Amino acid sequence: MQRRLELQPRLQAIADWVRPGARIADVGTDHGYLPVWLLQTGVVEYAIASDINESPLEHARRTSREYGQQMEFRLCNGLDGISPQEADTVVIAGMGGENIASILERAPWTREGHMLLLQPMSKPEYLRGFLAGHGYRVTRERLVRDKGVLYPILEAKGGSMATPSPGRLHGGIALASDPLEGEYLSSLIGKLSRAAQGLRQAKDGRERAVELDGIVQELEKMRKEWENANCSAD
Ligand SMILES: C[S@@+](CC[C@H](N)C(=O)[O-])C[C@H]1O[C@@H](n2cnc3c(N)ncnc32)[C@H](O)[C@@H]1O
């Protein structure tokens, strides 16, 4: 009997949002676990695994052999080697927010009906700002805890949305009912307050420190709203 692949919580949360029957492109696939799991469980029948580097793509080939699943492999930068008709769902996970944004910028066709599942490891605020300013709409967002770290996952499509406030860029556009949002906001408040504190000591850091103070204030307001909506008074 074929062995069953188990996904870590971060990848499982992304997989849970893939529509049954979707044709997926997993950009920056590395080990290839996500497309192999989706094929193995029958959620999808067609998948492309791509990576900019040969060695991770070789890892994905090994995973697909090990679990007996067939898929396409592409060695390319972002979506450069994938045409719009080949996939209706594009996953870009485990990379920095700026890298994800630059991959989308090189492939404007991703605004034309494709479902995007994006999981930034850093600078999610940059990615949210990019999406809002480049003809995308964030349709869903969620947080997942994996090995003690909270990761945001965004679902986006072509469309328009109001420019998010600085607090929303950092704290999430559509996370208000997420059970982990309070914790996420608290950790951002701590991180940005410490950054502002450091900047206040630096020679040219005052202006940015004031900017960060404003973001922290907005995040504190968002946390209060989240607490009012999600915590019952005992
Ligand atoms: C940390 S791994 C993430 C693997 C998997 N997507 C995940 O979330 O677990 C990042 C992968 O993205 C690839 N990568 C980075 N920039 C890329 C780009 N512009 N185009 C395609 N792949 C890229 C790297 O080679 C690496 O294999």
Side-chain angles (χ1 to χ4, degrees):
M1 213 176 81
Q2 199 66 242
R3 269 199 316 138
R4 248 313 164 90
L5 182 64
E6 291 261 333
L7 292 180
Q8 65 186 103
R10 180 180 61 84
L11 290 177
Q12 186 62 59
I14 300 168
D16 290 346
W17 275 1
V18 174
R19 262 188 316 101
R23 293 168 63 83
I24 74 143
D26 183 32
V27 176
T29 195
D30 194 355
H31 35 67
Y33 296 151
L34 181 74
V36 165
W37 187 90
L38 289 168
L39 288 162
Q40 195 175 39
T41 51
V43 174
V44 308
E45 289 179 7
Y46 179 83
I48 304 171
S50 82
D51 208 285
I52 197 169
N53 293 307
E54 182 54 50
S55 137
L57 203 60
E58 193 41 48
H59 189 173
R61 285 196 188 93
R62 281 200 305 278
T63 308
S64 82
R65 280 196 298 273
E66 190 181 341
Y67 290 92
Q69 301 302 320
Q70 304 276 328
M71 61 178 136
E72 303 243 351
F73 297 94
R74 305 278 164 83
L75 181 64
C76 58
N77 182 1
L79 287 152
D80 290 2
I82 298 169
S83 61
Q85 305 74 28
E86 289 184 289
D88 53 32
T89 302
V90 173
V91 178
I92 316 178
M95 289 180 216
E98 288 168 319
N99 198 10
I100 296 175
S102 89
I103 289 172
L104 294 175
E105 194 159 28
R106 288 162 66 91
W109 54 261
T110 51
R111 291 193 293 251
E112 282 147 31
H114 288 74
M115 179 194 269
L116 308 176
L117 297 176
L118 313 172
Q119 189 276 299
M121 297 303 258
S122 62
K123 300 242 177 119
E125 70 281 6
Y126 183 92
L127 180 60
R128 294 187 185 102
F130 168 85
L131 293 170
H134 289 78
Y136 296 93
R137 185 165 61 92
V138 174
T139 43
R140 282 196 283 182
E141 252 185 294
R142 67 167 291 191
L143 292 164
V144 61
R145 192 194 309 277
D146 197 332
K147 298 195 184 88
V149 179
L150 292 182
Y151 297 98
I153 299 171
L154 288 78
E155 180 192 79
K157 283 194 175 127
S160 63
M161 61 179 178
T163 308
S165 63
R168 290 269 162 221
L169 286 179
H170 284 265
I173 293 169
L175 284 172
S177 54
D178 193 293
L180 297 172
E181 169 77 337
E183 190 180 330
Y184 186 60
L185 291 173
S186 294
S187 106
L188 282 172
I189 289 165
K191 192 172 120 195
L192 296 182
S193 304
R194 285 191 295 279
Q197 187 62 33
L199 282 163
R200 267 189 285 279
Q201 327 286 321
K203 196 163 151 267
D204 300 319
R206 236 202 95 62
E207 208 176 308
R208 178 68 182 144
V210 170
E211 211 178 300
L212 290 184
D213 287 340
I215 297 172
V216 166
Q217 270 176 24
E218 194 188 342
L219 292 173
E220 280 167 345
K221 193 163 159 260
M222 284 164 64
R223 184 172 57 183
K224 195 84 333 346
E225 283 163 7
W226 180 88
E227 282 166 0
N228 289 341
N230 294 277
C231 306
S232 56
D234 292 320

